[in-house]
Amino acid sequence: MPEELRLFLKERFGVQGPLSPGRFEAELAKQLGSPAKRASLLKAWRAYLGGGGREAVRSFYREVLKVPRGEALVYGMHLPFLEFYAKEVPSRVEGRVLEVGPFTGALVGFLQRQRPDLEWHALEGVEEAVEVGRKRVPEVAWHLGWAEEAELPPFDTLLLLSVFPEGLVDQDLEGRLAPEAFWKRFAFFERLPLFLRLLRPGGLLVYGHGPFLGKSPEGVEEGLRRLGFSQVERVGEGEYFLVLARRPEALAEAFAGEALEEPWEEPEPVLAGGVDLEEVRTLLEAGNHKEVLARLPEEAAGEAAYLRGRALLALSRYAEAEEALRRALSEEAEDLRALVLVELGEYERARSRLEALAVRGGRYRLALGRVYLAQGRYADALRQFVESGLLEAEVYIQEALERITDRMRRYAREGEWTEVSRRAEFVEDLSPGLLTREMLRLGLRAALFQGLFARAERYARRLADWDEAEGFLGLALSALRLRTPLAYRGEDLKAVEPYLTETLSRAEIPEASLLLGILRQREGRMAEALYLLEQAARHGEGEVAGMAFHHLAEVKRALGRPLREVLGDHKRAHALRAYPAPYLFRLAREALEGGEGVLARELLSRARDAGLEAVAEEDLLGLLHLLERLEGPWAAFSVLYQALSHTPQPPLELLALAYRLSRAFRESPEAGEVRGQYLAALYASGRAKEAEEVLLAELQEHPQALEVLFDLAEHHEAQGEWSKAAGYWQKALEVALYREKDLALSRELLRNLLFLKPHDESLALYLEELKAVGKGLKALGEEAPSLPESPGELLEEDLPRFHGEHLLVVGGHTQLRSRLVPFLEARGLKVDWYDADSAGVGKEALRRILSRLEKAHGLMIVSSYVGHDLSEPVRLEAERLGVPVHVIPGRARGATGFLRALKAFAPEVFKKALKGVQ
C-alpha cells in the first residue's frame, strides 16, 4: 500500500518523498532561491505555525499553490500520516463519504481508487485549491466552503483527517495533552458539533489528528462519548492513530457544556494518599522497586503512574507496566512504553515511536533493532544493534548475522549472486569485523561471479589470514581475473601456483586440483597432472568435473593409454559439460578409425543430439561418409537432403552423391526429387551423355519404371532421335495400358506417339484396344471416357480453337519447339517460343523476351528446361504487367504434356485477350 500511494503522489502531485516540517524553509529556499520570491509564503507559513486561525490557513495554502511544486512540499510534510490513513481508512468507510479539508485531493483521490464502489466528496475552503483539485482528481465531487458553515446534505462517513486542529496550533504547544486540556485548547465541544452537521445519525466519524501538536487520543474518545457517540474505537498507537465512532440521533449538549465549565488545573505532585513523589523517586533510584509498588496504588495516574510503570518494568512485569505508563499521559512515559511494547512482542505498535526515538541511541536503538529483527528486516536490525553501542547488543548482533547469512545461502542456491554480494557489502560497510567466515566465503563467490575482482581479493585475503583454503583459491582466481575455473582460456597459471598448492595443502578443493592439473599438463608433468585431474574428476561436481574429465582424457592420450579409455573420459566430460557437435563428430571419427564402432555410434548420436548443422557447415563430406558407414545410406541422405534444400545452386558433386545414396530407397519422394535435380544439373552442364547413362542404368534396374521411360523419351526428342523417342513412348504406353491399367495416361501417351508418327497405321490398334477396354468398363457399369474415331481426332482432342491470341513460351528444347509451333499456329495461336537450347540466359535474351512480354496474352514456363536466372525475372515482370502465367512443373512429358497444360491455361489467355480488345 505505501508504495502504491507514493507512486500515485509522484505521478499526479510530484511528491518525491517525506519532508520534515523543520526543513520546509530550507527546501523552499532551495527551490525559489531569491528571498523576495519566498517572502510572502514564509510570512504565511509563520502565521500558520502561530495559530492564526482560518485566515492563516487560507493565506498559507493560497501562497503554496503559487509556488512551483508547492503541493509536493505540503504533501511531503504529511506523507507518513497519509500512508497511515491510506492503510487504515479504505476498509472502514461506507456509503457517501466526505473528506473535510482535502487541499488538492491527494488522499481522497487515492481512497477513491481503492474503493471505487463508494461515492466520494471533498469539501475545501480555499477556492484556488478547489480549482486545482477538480483538475487533478475529477473522479471526486468537489464543494467549496468551510465545514463550520457549509450547507450540504448529511453523509454516511465523515473524514476529519489532519484538519480539526489546523489554525489553532502554535509551536509552543505540548506534543501530548490531557483530555481536559485538549477540549479547552481546541474548543472541542464548541467546534465539533458544527462539523457533525455534515454526518447523518448513525453515520461513521473518522478522526485523525495528523502531524500537529496537542495530540490526545483519550480526549477525543472521551469527548465523543460525552457527546453521545457509540462504538468508539481507536486504531493505531502513539503519533499515528484514528478514532472511529457512530453519531447519535441527537448530540448530548448538557455534557458538552459541563465539560467546558470545568477549569483546567495542573495535576498535584502529591497523591491523595499523601505519598511524597520525591521520596518514591529516591526509592526507585535505589532499586527498591517493591517498596515503590507498595506506596503507589494501581489506579495511580500522571507522574505517579510513570514511576509505578518504571518499577514494574524493572521487575519484568511488562503487561502491568504498559497499563501504568499508558495512564501517565506524558511524553516520557510514552517513550518508556515503547520499550515495554517490545518486551510484550507488540512490535508494530512500538515501531513508529522507536523510529522517532532512535536518534537518542542506546536502549532505543537496541529496542528498534529487536523490532526490525522480528519483522525480518535483518539489515536494518543489524545497523541499530551496532549503532546502539551496548554490550547486551552482542547477542542480537550474532542473531542478525546468522539470519543474514541464511538469506545469503538461500540466494546462493538460487543463483542470485547480486543479492548475496549486496548483503556482504552492507555488513562490510557497517563494520568489516562483523563479516563471518561463512559470509566471506559467500561474498567471495558472489564477487567472483560478478567480476568484482578487487572485492574478491579483499575477501580472499581475509579468509587466507584465517588459514582458510577457499581464501587461497580466491586469491588465485582474482589474480587471474577468472570468475570461475570454467572460464580458463589459457591464462598463465604459473604465477598463482603457490596459491593453488597452499589451497590443496589445506583441503581437497576440486577447482584447485583442476587448475593445478592443467598447469602440470602444460608443463609436461603428465603423471602429476593425471593424479590431480583424477582427484578433481572424482570430487568435483557438475561442469567442474566435466572439465576435469576433458583434460584427463587429453593427458591419457599423451600417456598412450588405450583409445577406449580416452574416449570414455571424453564421453563422461560431455555428460557433465556438453561438447559442441563438431568436436563430438571428430571424436566419433577417431573412434571409428580406431576400431571402436560402438563408441563411434554413441558419440555420433551425441553429436546428432547437439545438432549436426554445425558439422555439416564445417565438413559435410566427412560427416556423410561417417554417417553412411555407421548408420547407413538413409541417415547420410537425410543430412545431405536437408543441406541441399538450403543451397540455391548445389554443386553437381553433391547431387551425384545424393543420387547414389538414394538408390537404396528409390521409390521415396525424396529420392525422385533428387534424381530430377541431378539430371537437370547434368543437362545444364552439357553432360547429356552422362544423363542418358544414368537413365539407362535406372531402366536396367526397373524396366517398367514410367518416369524413367518418360525421361528417356524426352531425352531422345531433345537430341532429334525421333525413332528412339517413339520407341520409349510406345514402351511407356504398353506399361501404362497393360500393367498399370491407367486409361487416362495411356490415352496421353498414345497422343504423344501419334504426334511423333502421325502416319503409323499400327498405332490405330492401340486406339481400338482402348475403345474395347472402355466398352468393357461400360458393360460392367463403370464410367469410361469416350474416344474419338480416328487418330487425328485424338491428337487434337479438346484443344480449343484460337483467334490470334499471343502466347509467350520460355523453356523446353528445340525439337519440342520446332514441332509444336507450326501445330499451334495452325490452330490460330500466335507463339513466341524461347527454348533453353537457343535462348541462353544473357541480358540480350532477357531483353528480347521482356520486349515481347508487353504484347503477350499469356506466359508459359517449362520449368525444368530453363534456368532460374531467366525464368524468375520473366515471371516477375509478367506479374507486374498483369500477364497471366502458367508454370509447367517438372518435365513437359512430351508434346502432349505441353498441349495438356495449354488446354488448362487457355481460359486465362482468352480473358487477357478480351480485356485488350475492350
Side-chain angles (χ1 to χ4, degrees), residues 284-329:
L284 188 62
E285 294 299 330
N288 198 346
H289 303 114
K290 293 185 179 180
E291 182 65 24
V292 171
L293 296 179
R295 294 197 179 200
L296 297 175
E298 292 185 8
E299 64 274 8
E303 179 69 14
Y306 171 66
L307 296 174
R308 180 177 174 81
R310 286 181 58 186
L312 290 167
L313 175 59
L315 295 172
S316 300
R317 293 162 62 177
Y318 301 120
E320 298 173 68
E322 194 267 337
E323 179 62 26
L325 293 170
R326 190 179 65 82
R327 291 197 303 271
L329 298 177

Side-chain angles (χ1 to χ4, degrees), residues 620-631:
L620 179 59
L621 292 177
L623 174 62
L624 296 175
H625 175 70
L626 187 65
L627 285 170
E628 185 178 8
R629 287 187 62 184
L630 292 177
E631 299 182 3

Side-chain angles (χ1 to χ4, degrees), residues 432-441 459-469 471-472 506:
L434 292 175
L435 285 170
T436 65
R437 298 193 182 200
E438 184 66 17
M439 282 184 171
L440 285 170
R441 292 191 192 98
Y459 292 164
R461 199 162 295 284
R462 288 276 305 277
L463 286 169
D465 291 342
W466 285 341
D467 209 32
E468 291 285 338
F472 292 102
R506 286 161 176 79

Side-chain angles (χ1 to χ4, degrees), residues 836-853:
D837 298 332
S838 59
V841 293
K843 292 184 178 180
E844 183 62 26
L846 182 61
R847 187 189 62 77
R848 291 199 310 271
I849 295 172
L850 296 180
S851 66
R852 296 296 182 91
L853 186 61

Side-chain angles (χ1 to χ4, degrees), residues 72 242 381 386 425 466 496 514 581 689 695 701 762 783 800 864 873:
L242 291 174
V386 171
E425 184 181 10
W466 285 341
V496 297
L514 171 63
K689 188 65 177 176
L695 291 172
E701 290 290 333
S762 64
E783 293 185 5
S864 64

